[in-house]
């Protein structure tokens, strides 16, 4: 190969011609398969010879026999073209029923509990040969994690998006509720005064005591006392049980509560902003056919779960 060689001198079409000549050992047959003229194939072969500084294919007994260097190149080029074709096929000609692609979705414990069981069932039914990897994320690291090209998207509540290359699609809005142990009399007739007098449990992945309740109270010139923090929504009901603490969480938690949890919920005695459940991903993935299908699956699952959530909220809490 020439010492002044640059990869910019080679385009994909030249490598495809090389691969065809390796398979056909004939300019005529290679031209037929490529749908090009013999002259065009010969011109490409001359460019390859110039680039690699080798004859590559030598005529002998009516056949184009590859040189030792051509055989060495073929071991890499043929595999590379196959890999490129496979990737393009997965991302452009995506067929869920045939795909063996791996997808990775980042979730919090809240969105995982609400949507992942149904999503896994749907995913496995429609793409039985593909793989779905669910990974945990925290609100404060979601945008940073999306810089990982292997992470397709993140599903979480109230994401903080500042980067222009990150897309946010809001899939649902959940109301904030107050919850406490059923034996705590305060929860049955909750007023603002009683709310402020109670010790509070804050659900915070990073241990920060401040939450949406604090922002709303601060605007009113008020504050609450956070007695404890826990990192996961899933453990909050168990922590509340047997205590005098009260907690505020999004109404999706209703699907995780039953009689054995001994937890009662009510609407907060002051206005709290809704929690927006969002799907976020980097803009470069928007046109990826497989990614479009995955996003469609997620939207469909969330929409179905939302109907059940709203019915459960109306049954337990009643109309707003």
């Amino acid at each position: 190969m020439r010492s002044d060689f640059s990869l910019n001198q080679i385009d994909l079409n030249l490598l495809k011609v090389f691969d065809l000549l390796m398979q056909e050992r004939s300019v005529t047959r290679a031209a037929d398969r490529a749908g090009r003229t013999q002259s065009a194939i010969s011109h490409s072969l001359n460019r390859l010879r110039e680039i690699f500084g080798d004859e590559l294919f030598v005529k002998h007994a009516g056949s184009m026999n590859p040189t030792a260097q051509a055989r060495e190149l073929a071991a890499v080029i043929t595999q590379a073209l196959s890999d490129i074709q496979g990737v393009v096929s997965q991302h452009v000609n995506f067929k869920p029923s045939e795909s063996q692609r791996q997808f990775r979705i980042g979730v919090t414990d809240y969105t995982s509990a609400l949507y992942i069981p149904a999503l896994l069932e749907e995913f496995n039914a429609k793409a039985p040969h593909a793989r779905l990897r669910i990974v945990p994320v925290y609100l404060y690291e979601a945008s940073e994690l999306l810089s990982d090209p292997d992470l397709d998207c993140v599903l979480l509540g109230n994401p903080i998006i500042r980067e222009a290359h990150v897309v946010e699609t809001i899939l649902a809005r959940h109301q904030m509720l107050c919850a406490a142990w059923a034996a705590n009399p305060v929860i049955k007739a909750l007023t603002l005064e009683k709310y402020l007098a109670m010790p509070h449990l804050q659900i915070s992945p990073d241990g920060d005591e401040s939450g949406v309740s604090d922002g709303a109270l601060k605007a009113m010139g008020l504050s609450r006392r956070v007695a404890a923090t826990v990192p996961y929504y899933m453990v909050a009901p168990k922590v509340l049980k047997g205590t005098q603490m009260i907690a505020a969480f999004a109404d999706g938690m209703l699907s995780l509560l039953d009689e054995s949890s001994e937890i009662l919920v009510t609407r907060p005695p002051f206005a709290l902003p809704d929690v927006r459940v969002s799907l976020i991903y980097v803009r470069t993935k928007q046109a990826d056919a497989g990614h479009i299908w995955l996003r469609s699956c997620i939207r469909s699952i969330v929409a179905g779960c939302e109907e059940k959530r709203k019915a459960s909220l109306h049954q337990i809490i009643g109309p707003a």
Side-chain angles (χ1 to χ4, degrees), residues 44-196:
S44 294
L45 176 56
N46 288 333
R47 285 286 299 123
L48 287 164
R49 285 168 168 166
E50 178 184 351
I51 291 168
F52 290 108
D54 187 82
E55 280 295 296
L56 298 178
F57 297 92
V58 179
K59 286 185 178 180
H60 179 72
S63 179
M64 299 285 288
N65 293 335
T67 65
Q69 183 169 329
R71 293 180 186 279
E72 184 179 344
L73 289 168
V76 176
I77 291 174
T78 299
Q79 183 61 53
L81 290 174
S82 177
D83 290 343
I84 291 170
Q85 178 62 42
V87 170
V88 170
S89 180
Q90 285 193 77
H91 290 260
V92 178
N93 305 313
F94 182 80
K95 295 181 180 179
S97 61
E98 300 176 6
S99 176
Q100 297 183 27
R101 182 171 170 180
Q102 175 174 288
F103 296 95
R104 291 176 75 233
I105 301 175
V107 295
T108 61
D109 69 314
Y110 181 75
T111 54
S112 176
L114 292 183
Y115 306 122
I116 294 307
L119 178 60
L120 283 172
E121 183 178 356
E122 179 83 356
F123 184 93
N124 290 330
K126 292 186 175 180
H129 307 295
R131 292 162 291 165
L132 183 60
R133 301 291 182 259
I134 308 299
V135 298
V137 298
Y138 295 114
L139 175 65
Y140 58 83
E141 67 178 6
S143 293
E144 180 182 343
L145 281 173
L146 282 170
S147 63
D148 179 352
D150 291 330
L151 186 62
D152 290 282
C153 56
V154 175
L155 184 62
L156 75 171
N158 285 346
I160 301 171
I161 305 299
R162 299 188 180 95
E163 297 83 355
H165 70 287
V166 175
V167 179
E168 176 186 3
T169 301
I170 300 175
L171 303 182
R173 293 186 181 275
H174 294 177
Q175 299 176 34
M176 291 295 290
L177 301 175
C178 289
W181 182 35
N184 185 345
V186 169
I187 194 65
K188 297 175 182 176
L190 188 62
T191 64
L192 180 57
E193 182 180 11
K194 292 177 180 178
Y195 177 90
L196 296 174

Side-chain angles (χ1 to χ4, degrees), residues 152 255 263 291 299:
D152 290 282
S255 64
I263 297 299
H291 201 270
R299 285 195 299 270

Side-chain angles (χ1 to χ4, degrees), residues 220-273:
M220 300 164 60
L222 303 171
S223 63
R224 61 176 183 157
R225 181 177 72 86
V226 175
T229 66
V230 293
Y232 308 116
Y233 272 87
M234 300 290 286
V235 303
K238 296 182 182 298
V239 174
L240 289 174
K241 190 174 179 178
T243 76
Q244 295 301 301
M245 289 190 293
I246 190 170
F249 50 54
D251 62 39
M253 285 291 292
L254 291 176
S255 64
L256 306 178
L257 302 178
D258 54 28
E259 291 184 4
S260 66
S261 65
E262 297 183 27
I263 297 299
L264 291 181
V265 295
T266 188
R267 298 189 188 280
F270 59 101
L272 285 175

